[in-house]
Amino acid sequence: MIVKATYFQNNKEHPLVYGDVELINPKRRRLRGEEEKEGVLAESALVGFCGTDNTLMHMGEAGLLTPKFPDGTNRLINGHEGVVWVPGEQRFAIVLIRGGDSFDPTRYTEDETYFEYGCDRADGLFSDRNYYNHDMLLTIPSPEANRPKLPLSLAKKLVFADPYACMIFQRERMEDLGEAHNFRVVMARRGCDEAQARAPARKETFRRVCIFGLGTTGMFLGDLIRRKYPDAQIVFVARSDADSPKVKFALEQTGARYVRSDYASNAELASAIIEALGGRATSFVGVSGSAVEHSVAFEHGVLGCNGLYNSFSLGPKVTFDTMPFGFQNQLIFGSINFRRDHMEEAIRILMESRYDEIVELIGKDEFTADPKAAYENRIYSKAAPLKTAVVWNENYIDMTR
C-alpha cells in the first residue's frame, strides 16, 4: 500500500522529506511470550512533534540512521505521539509505542529486542495510515473515542500520552531507587525495622526536588510528584523569563518555585537553587540537555548527601569528583520509556488536564511543503511553543471543540 508520509533518510541535504511511501506490515509482538501478529490498519488524526524527531533528523544529516530503519527499508516514517482512528473498529486509539521480544520494555536485556513506532525499526504516525499491533492500540476511556470526530481539545491533551507516561515511569523509578537507597538511613534514625522504614524513605526522596530544565517532560514530572507527594518542595530551573507563559503555566500546575538560570556563575546559580529549596536537594532531575546540570548538582553541591541524580537529558556527559561523591553516598541513574500501565494511567490523567492549553498547531500544508524547514524555523526554533502538533486528517477532528 502506498501512502503519503514524512520520513527520515540518510541524506545531508534532505534528511526529512514528504512523499509516497510503501507501507510494510511485518509481524510484531508487544511482549515476550505473546503471539506475533500482523498489524491492524489505522489512520492518523492528530500527531505531535517530539524532540526525538529533531534528533533523528540530525542523525539523518550525518548518515547515522541505518540502524533505525525497519528491516528491508532505507527510511523511517517518523512520529510517535498522537491519536489514530481504527476504521475496522470505528474507534480512536493511542498507539503504545514500545514493544518487542522482551519481558519488560523499560528494561530489555542483552538477549531481548525492542522496536518503537516512529523511532526505531518501526514506522510511525506521520503518515495517512499505517499498520500497528492490535495489542498496542490502546483504548481511550471516553464516549468521544467511539464517535466519528474527536474534539480538538481532547486530541491536544492526548498528544502528551507518550511523554507523560514516560514521566510516570520516571517517578516510579525514583520511588523504587530512593526507597532502596535510603531505607537503612531511616532505620538507623528512627530505630525501626526495614518494613517500617521503606515508606518514609520513599517519601523523603521527594522532600526537596530540583528539576533542571522546563520543557514538557520536566513540567510533567513536577506535576506527577506534586500529585502524589503534596508536601514536596519543587524548584524548576530554566533560562526562560519568570513572567513567560510557559513558566507561569508550569508553576500553576505544580505549585513549584522557579529559579532563572541567568547568574554570572554556576556557583551563584547553585546557591540560589539551594535557597529556593530550603536546603540541598534530595533528588535532582536533569532534563535541560545542558552540561550545567551536573556541574551545579555535584561540583557546586545542589544535590545533598544520599541524594538521587536522575539523568534524563540526552547529550551531556555527567562527571563528578569521586571523593565527595563516594562519601556523600549519592546515586546516579538513567532510564527511558514506559509500560502499558503507565500509558493507560497517563491517558486517564490527561483527559482531565489543562494541557491542551500549551499545544499550538502548525498547518499540515505548511509542514509537508518543507518538513526540514518547518523543524528548523518553526517547530524547534528558539521561539517555538512548548508543544507543536498537526491535524493530519481534519475528517477526524472536531475543530470547534
Side-chain angles (χ1 to χ4, degrees):
M1 179 185 295
I2 303 294
V3 300
K4 292 289 188 182
T6 62
Y7 57 91
F8 293 122
Q9 59 184 358
N10 285 322
N11 188 299
K12 185 175 181 180
E13 302 299 326
H14 305 288
L16 176 63
V17 295
Y18 176 72
D20 290 337
V21 181
E22 184 171 0
L23 294 182
I24 59 174
N25 189 17
K27 290 184 176 181
R28 303 185 190 278
R29 59 167 52 97
R30 183 178 69 93
L31 291 173
R32 176 164 284 198
E34 295 185 353
E35 177 188 354
E36 283 191 326
K37 299 178 180 179
E38 288 188 347
V40 173
L41 197 66
E43 301 181 17
S44 297
L46 181 142
V47 190
F49 299 89
C50 171
T52 301
D53 298 320
N54 198 34
T55 299
L56 290 170
M57 184 180 76
H58 292 309
M59 289 177 66
E61 288 177 322
L64 302 175
L65 277 181
T66 300
K68 300 287 188 182
F69 295 148
D71 290 344
T73 74
N74 60 359
R75 86 294 176 280
L76 171 69
I77 299 174
N78 59 310
H80 57 279
E81 300 179 356
V83 184
V84 299
W85 173 256
V86 188
E89 301 176 6
Q90 293 292 292
R91 68 178 178 99
F92 289 99
I94 301 294
V95 180
L96 178 65
I97 297 304
R98 190 179 177 99
D101 189 21
S102 58
F103 289 111
D104 183 340
T106 66
R107 294 172 180 74
Y108 75 95
T109 60
E110 292 81 1
D111 66 336
E112 297 178 333
T113 61
Y114 73 93
F115 68 88
E116 292 181 326
Y117 288 117
C119 296
D120 208 330
R121 298 188 290 278
D123 290 327
L125 277 71
F126 278 113
S127 56
D128 291 343
R129 55 191 63 85
N130 195 13
Y131 293 101
Y132 305 99
N133 182 305
H134 183 267
D135 299 334
M136 300 174 71
L137 290 170
L138 303 185
T139 299
I140 300 170
S142 167
E144 301 283 1
N146 301 310
R147 295 170 184 164
K149 287 196 173 189
L150 197 68
L152 177 62
S153 59
L154 180 56
K156 282 183 172 182
K157 295 174 184 178
L158 293 175
V159 81
F160 290 117
D162 179 289
Y164 202 86
C166 198
M167 291 303 105
I168 292 174
F169 173 54
Q170 292 300 306
R171 186 188 64 186
E172 177 185 275
R173 287 289 280 157
M174 292 174 73
E175 290 171 332
D176 292 349
L177 293 172
E179 175 182 316
H181 186 54
N182 283 319
F183 76 85
R184 295 190 183 279
V185 177
V186 177
M187 281 175 62
R189 187 172 68 238
R190 296 192 177 191
C192 61
D193 62 21
E194 178 179 337
Q196 294 171 312
R198 282 190 170 270
R202 186 188 320 124
K203 183 177 180 180
E204 287 184 15
T205 300
F206 302 97
R207 187 170 66 224
R208 292 188 296 271
V209 182
C210 175
I211 300 177
F212 202 102
L214 190 49
T216 52
T217 52
M219 183 192 307
F220 292 160
L221 184 57
D223 179 7
L224 284 160
I225 291 171
R226 174 67 65 209
R227 287 171 182 270
K228 195 166 183 180
Y229 302 96
D231 296 330
Q233 294 295 324
I234 303 171
V235 169
F236 289 114
V237 183
R239 292 177 295 179
S240 301
D241 189 276
D243 292 328
S244 68
K246 175 176 76 171
V247 173
K248 287 183 175 180
F249 185 88
L251 300 188
E252 288 174 7
Q253 286 294 109
T254 63
R257 296 181 181 180
Y258 182 68
V259 173
R260 187 179 183 188
S261 181
D262 62 350
Y263 287 84
S265 69
N266 289 346
E268 292 174 279
L269 173 59
S271 295
I273 296 170
I274 292 171
E275 182 179 355
L277 280 170
R280 296 174 70 189
T282 54
S283 290
F284 187 106
V285 185
V287 289
S288 74
S290 165
V292 176
E293 295 172 354
H294 70 89
S295 173
V296 165
F298 297 112
E299 182 182 354
H300 298 289
V302 169
L303 184 63
C305 292
N306 309 310
L308 265 65
Y309 186 96
N310 183 346
S311 177
F312 195 74
S313 289
L314 297 178
K317 290 182 170 64
V318 176
T319 63
F320 52 88
D321 185 337
T322 55
M323 178 68 80
F325 173 77
F327 278 97
Q328 292 183 82
N329 192 44
Q330 293 163 333
L331 175 64
I332 300 174
F333 78 95
S335 53
I336 299 176
N337 288 301
F338 48 82
R339 300 185 305 271
R340 176 173 179 160
D341 59 310
H342 295 138
M343 180 71 96
E344 290 171 336
E345 181 181 352
I347 292 169
R348 291 192 298 270
I349 294 174
L350 288 167
M351 286 173 56
E352 304 301 323
S353 77
R354 295 173 47 205
Y355 284 118
D356 56 308
E357 298 176 20
I358 60 173
V359 180
E360 294 188 15
L361 298 178
I362 183 172
K364 183 181 178 183
D365 289 343
E366 178 185 352
F367 172 53
T368 57
D370 191 340
K372 182 174 183 288
Y375 272 36
E376 295 173 338
N377 303 323
R378 178 90 181 268
I379 300 166
Y380 301 109
S381 70
K382 289 185 178 180
L386 264 172
K387 191 69 171 181
T388 304
V390 57
V391 175
W392 199 261
N393 190 330
E394 289 191 2
N395 293 327
Y396 294 131
I397 301 294
D398 183 347
M399 303 295 289
T400 67
R401 291 195 292 156

